[in-house]
Amino acid sequence: MTMKEHKKAKKVRAPQDDNEARFRQLIELSSDWYWEQDENYRFTFLSSEVRQKVGLSPESHIGKTRWELPGIVISEKERAAHQASLDACEPFHEFTYTRVNEDGTTRTLSVSGRPILDAQGKFRGYRGVGRDVTERVQAEYALRESEARFRELTELSSDWYWEQDENFRFTHMSGGMLAKAGFRPQDSIGRTRREQPGIVMSEEEWAAHQAILDAHQPFYDLTYKRVSEDGTARTLSIGGRPIFDAQGNFRGYRGIGKDITERIAAEERIEYLAYHDGLTALPNRSLFNQLL
């Protein structure tokens, strides 16, 4: 072979090299690192990315099972369930656990794996990928905390919470006082407020409220009566604000509702007693002077 031919041959990349390069790129895109274990679940390979992504030494894993690694934090129940899956030679997806590093930092790791079978179908170990999901788990926890605070504040400030789509149809309704107000969430989903049974409002009141909705304006203390199936009348007050997406498109309404029946009754009673005797129910001097 001439020198020119030799140089040309060196420039030609072997097919397996291309396959390995594509494999590495796919691993980097889909995960943080790649790993392999033998039939006894001892690590035989761990890609170098694990050092960069999580600060772990690949060499320290070789010859050890996952449970023999220091700093693994997992309950016995979770560990037993995962071990049973391994012993059954089953694939597993996003097995998540906590690891405390030597510097005291805590990371949440997620691993997925599939069994390796030889040509005769005999189990030879596992291969899989791993991810550092610390930021994702922290974000999910923060979201749950935020949602819990939102629910608590909603319960303190109102009797129920509701949402509507861009056609003013209810998509969500929740709260402990719905039954008292004569509501069953399933009866409201997919309907507008006007389509709810038992609503008592004049055409003028409906028209005024619809104008606010069509203008996508917030509204407060819309008060109306609702008659339940058993004939019980309740006085309700609702407020809502429009929902817009990132592009400014109107997406519906969200708001709260209150049953103010007792409050209205108390206010009416106070007003009645201001002009009538509490024992005889006869008009008092205040009413006489007003009428005079």
Side-chain angles (χ1 to χ4, degrees), residues 23-77:
F23 174 75
R24 284 195 299 270
Q25 290 173 354
L26 286 173
I27 291 296
E28 291 173 359
L29 288 172
S30 62
S31 62
D32 290 341
W33 67 88
Y34 173 78
W35 55 268
E36 290 184 2
Q37 293 175 330
D38 63 16
E39 62 272 19
N40 295 310
Y41 318 124
R42 295 180 299 236
F43 283 101
T44 58
F45 177 80
L46 203 69
S47 65
S48 59
E49 288 82 7
V50 72
R51 190 192 308 274
Q52 173 187 346
K53 299 288 186 179
V54 196
L56 300 178
S57 166
E59 297 79 13
S60 65
H61 286 61
I62 305 304
K64 296 180 180 179
T65 66
R66 197 178 307 279
W67 313 126
E68 292 173 333
L69 298 172
I72 301 295
V73 180
I74 190 172
S75 69
E76 283 300 321
K77 182 179 179 180

Side-chain angles (χ1 to χ4, degrees), residues 50-290:
V50 72
R51 190 192 308 274
Q52 173 187 346
K53 299 288 186 179
V54 196
L56 300 178
S57 166
E59 297 79 13
S60 65
H61 286 61
I62 305 304
K64 296 180 180 179
T65 66
R66 197 178 307 279
W67 313 126
E68 292 173 333
L69 298 172
I72 301 295
V73 180
I74 190 172
S75 69
E76 283 300 321
K77 182 179 179 180
E78 292 173 317
R79 176 174 171 176
H82 182 58
Q83 189 65 49
S85 180
L86 296 179
D87 293 338
C89 302
E90 297 174 340
F92 59 92
H93 182 63
E94 292 191 356
F95 174 62
T96 304
Y97 58 93
T98 301
R99 178 185 174 93
V100 181
N101 293 333
E102 293 180 356
D103 60 1
T105 57
T106 301
R107 310 298 297 177
T108 303
L109 309 181
S110 176
V111 294
S112 300
R114 298 187 66 86
I116 305 171
L117 305 178
D118 62 17
Q120 289 71 43
K122 187 176 181 180
F123 175 70
R124 292 302 184 186
Y126 271 91
R127 64 167 59 98
V129 294
R131 275 184 178 276
D132 184 338
V133 295
T134 306
E135 283 72 20
R136 189 192 77 188
V137 170
Q138 290 175 346
E140 290 173 350
Y141 176 78
L143 178 61
R144 288 194 298 270
E145 287 290 297
S146 177
E147 290 175 346
R149 287 193 295 269
F150 171 77
R151 286 193 299 269
E152 291 173 358
L153 288 173
T154 300
E155 291 173 359
L156 288 171
S157 62
S158 62
D159 293 339
W160 65 86
Y161 172 78
W162 56 267
E163 290 185 2
Q164 294 175 328
D165 63 16
E166 61 272 20
N167 296 310
F168 315 120
R169 294 178 300 229
F170 284 100
T171 58
H172 178 79
M173 186 176 287
S174 63
M177 298 297 289
L178 282 170
K180 181 181 177 182
F183 283 112
R184 291 184 302 183
Q186 62 270 26
D187 294 338
S188 296
I189 303 303
R191 294 182 176 183
T192 65
R193 194 178 308 280
R194 191 164 191 175
E195 292 171 337
Q196 288 180 322
I199 303 295
V200 180
M201 285 180 69
S202 68
E203 286 300 321
E204 291 77 11
E205 290 172 322
W206 274 123
H209 180 56
Q210 189 64 50
I212 292 175
L213 298 181
D214 292 339
H216 304 159
Q217 296 294 316
F219 61 90
Y220 308 94
D221 296 327
L222 172 66
T223 302
Y224 58 90
K225 289 187 181 296
R226 176 184 170 90
V227 181
S228 302
E229 293 179 355
D230 61 1
T232 304
R234 311 294 299 180
T235 304
L236 311 179
S237 176
I238 59 170
R241 297 186 66 85
I243 306 170
F244 298 96
D245 62 19
Q247 289 72 41
N249 300 312
F250 173 70
R251 293 302 183 189
Y253 271 89
R254 64 167 61 100
I256 57 175
K258 282 188 176 185
D259 184 334
I260 59 173
T261 307
E262 282 75 17
R263 193 192 79 189
I264 294 298
E267 291 173 353
E268 291 176 348
R269 178 63 177 170
I270 292 172
E271 183 178 2
Y272 177 84
L273 291 177
Y275 298 105
H276 296 78
D277 183 79
L279 295 176
T280 65
L282 295 173
N284 59 19
R285 184 177 295 276
S286 296
L287 181 56
F288 173 78
N289 290 335
Q290 188 180 41

